[in-house]
Amino acid sequence: MENALASIRRGALIDALRNSNALSERYGMSLTEGQMQALADGCAAALADTGRIEFGAGVLPKLIEALCDSPYVDRVSYCDTLLAVQELFYYFKSESGDAFADDELVEALERAFNGPAQGATEYVAGLSPEELYRLWLNEED
Amino acid sequence: MDEQRAPEAQGKRGSQSVQSEPDASGALSLLMEGLSGAERALLQERLWALLARQVARFTQGDATSLPVERAETLYESACFTLRCWLDAERLPPRALLRGDLDDALRAGWTLLEGRVREAKTRYAEALRGAPPYASRALRDTLRGIAPFFARYDWRLAAQEIPAEIDYPLCHPVPEAYRGVQYVGEYLRRLLIEELLLARASAPRAEALLRRYYGEIEEPLVNLYEPVAACAIGLALAGQDPRALTITPEDAAALTARLNGLAAEEEQVGSVAATLRAAAETAADALALPMGEDRLYLAEWAESLWPRARASLRGGTMENGALDGDAAGSDALRGVFAF
């Protein structure tokens, strides 16, 4: 039964990724079917690692919308960047005790990635939730 | 960080002696009784979709993911609420395969909200009805239930029991009971016990309890059991149940009666009717109302028999003489509190 539910959720995620291609293609970015499967696997692994459950298509479409026009992303690094940022999303979500709303965290990650990190996901990974929050807050001001 | 965004239920399951840890699989199995494999799959899919809508509703669309533990609590809460709704409507689990599950859940919430109100009324009665010689355990439990009414969340954690309940009942609430179902049933049973104690003479009941337990303030002991058993014993001995003292003469008569019952059991197979009649006599003497109070007492009377029979078979009671030093006599003292 759990497999059936996971299959339903995975299907919803893949559908959402296909739809996201319509947006990202405007910026020259698109995901292949294989990359979509890899992102779905990465999503499942990140959720398992952080002890979380996700409903519906999840956060990946929002991450795509936030990062597909980044100056630090190209066709080659696009999927790997999404995989890494997706993992960071769930990490910070849990580490912050769910203090960030989804949209806030996506925005914070986008600002960190396109700002001080200059496209280095390792830099973003080195931030504390508080630093990420301050980054998001300062930008708000 | 904005602390108001922290999960609402953190710390909610702090101290509670009647734990109900999230167990979504257990809650789910209650909804799956009698369903085929395909029906189970369909119901689980519908419940999953319901949970997703719940998450969206309660996070106001802020989050699409939750910690597993939190999701399990929400899921279990929904399953428990739906089970209560099915039971109240006398519907089979199959009813959840059609119609709007959100409507069913809302109806379940309304039901639980009403049960909280009922439990609150019972709680007020239980506070008023506590005997003057109430033990620390009973007083602490009455205090420990109070937070339940402020902290119980029938929408997000309907299965949880945010209360400190230690006082043991004569007939414990089944462990399968959860949330307000448990607290309401606990209070219902406690009120029954308090009423019998209230109808008995307080000095006599207290004296009996101190004779029986030695000390009643600190130990985690039930106050109803010895008083009810003594009243039943006196009824069996043909004495006034209100006396709450079994004299040596009463004990001899009781032993003779019990020996007769043991023989009767060998011949006709059951002594339940006799024990229930004794409970009825005791209930009449204590002016207990008809209904659940008498049923509760009758069930206690029946439950005394295995111990009474065992003490009779101890070998010291066959001649009907009560010997304070005899093991069988001691055992019988333990059963009927003399």
Side-chain angles (χ1 to χ4, degrees), chain B residues 183-226:
Chain B
V183 173
E185 182 60 19
Y186 181 91
L187 288 167
R188 186 184 75 82
R189 294 175 188 225
L190 181 62
L191 283 173
I192 288 172
E193 296 192 9
E194 284 186 348
L195 183 64
L196 180 135
L197 294 173
R199 295 288 165 89
S201 153
R204 286 179 194 171
E206 184 174 359
L208 181 153
L209 289 165
R210 291 192 187 284
R211 276 201 310 274
Y212 184 72
Y213 287 128
E215 210 247 305
I216 59 172
E217 173 64 15
E218 294 299 332
L220 200 58
V221 293
N222 177 269
L223 303 178
Y224 173 95
E225 290 174 4

Side-chain angles (χ1 to χ4, degrees), chain B residues 227-306:
Chain B
V227 175
C230 187
I232 292 164
L234 284 164
L236 282 168
Q239 300 301 316
D240 184 351
R242 293 171 299 180
L244 294 186
T245 301
I246 295 180
T247 65
E249 293 74 25
D250 298 336
L254 174 61
T255 304
R257 183 75 193 276
L258 292 173
N259 276 320
L261 285 179
E264 181 185 319
E265 185 183 40
E266 284 178 11
Q267 289 169 6
V268 298
S270 173
V271 297
T274 305
L275 291 164
R276 284 181 172 272
E280 195 64 18
T281 301
D284 286 341
L286 295 167
L288 292 184
M290 303 302 286
E292 59 185 12
D293 294 78
R294 290 180 180 239
L295 183 63
Y296 198 85
L297 184 64
E299 286 176 2
W300 177 230
E302 278 196 67
S303 73
L304 294 172
W305 177 243

Side-chain angles (χ1 to χ4, degrees), chain B residues 255-256 258-260 262 309-322 326 328-329:
Chain B
T255 304
L258 292 173
N259 276 320
R309 185 180 50 201
S311 72
L312 291 172
R313 286 176 180 168
T316 59
M317 309 299 291
E318 281 81 354
N319 62 4
L322 275 171
S329 175

Side-chain angles (χ1 to χ4, degrees), chain A residues 1 5 8-9 47 51-56 58-59 62 89-90 93 96-104 129-130 133, chain B residues 1-2 5-7 10 28 37 40-42 44-45 48 51-52 55 61-69 71-72 75:
Chain A
M1 177 50 58
L5 290 174
I8 291 167
R9 211 194 86 65
L47 287 167
R52 301 184 69 82
I53 288 179
E54 192 162 63
F55 301 90
V59 79
K62 290 181 177 177
F89 175 88
Y90 296 114
K93 190 84 174 171
S96 68
D98 284 38
F100 283 107
D102 283 4
D103 290 347
E104 291 171 353
E130 290 75 16
Y133 183 75
Chain B
M1 297 261 180
D2 181 357
R5 290 189 186 282
Q10 278 185 354
L28 186 62
R40 285 168 180 242
L42 176 59
Q44 190 144 11
E45 197 177 316
W48 182 258
L51 183 60
V55 169
D62 277 352
T64 57
S65 67
L66 283 181
V68 169
E69 187 183 82
E72 280 182 355
Y75 194 47

Side-chain angles (χ1 to χ4, degrees), chain B residues 112-193:
Chain B
L112 294 183
E113 196 177 0
R115 288 189 181 169
V116 171
R117 281 196 297 272
E118 285 174 15
K120 205 167 185 177
T121 303
R122 284 179 185 163
Y123 177 62
E125 288 177 36
L127 285 175
R128 286 195 299 271
Y133 46 83
S135 60
R136 182 188 297 276
L138 178 52
R139 292 197 309 271
D140 285 351
T141 289
L142 287 170
R143 268 195 296 272
I145 291 174
F148 176 84
F149 299 103
R151 293 164 57 197
Y152 181 59
D153 190 336
W154 63 85
R155 289 172 188 261
L156 302 181
Q159 76 286 5
E160 294 190 357
I161 306 169
E164 189 81 42
I165 299 174
D166 291 324
Y167 179 73
L169 293 172
C170 174
H171 297 301
V173 178
E175 286 186 11
Y177 281 47
R178 322 291 285 279
V180 68
Q181 185 185 34
Y182 181 94
V183 173
E185 182 60 19
Y186 181 91
L187 288 167
R188 186 184 75 82
R189 294 175 188 225
L190 181 62
L191 283 173
I192 288 172
E193 296 192 9

Side-chain angles (χ1 to χ4, degrees), chain B residues 74-87:
Chain B
L74 265 178
Y75 194 47
E76 190 182 16
S77 181
C79 289
F80 171 78
T81 305
L82 290 170
R83 178 77 250 181
C84 289
W85 175 74
L86 287 175
D87 289 345

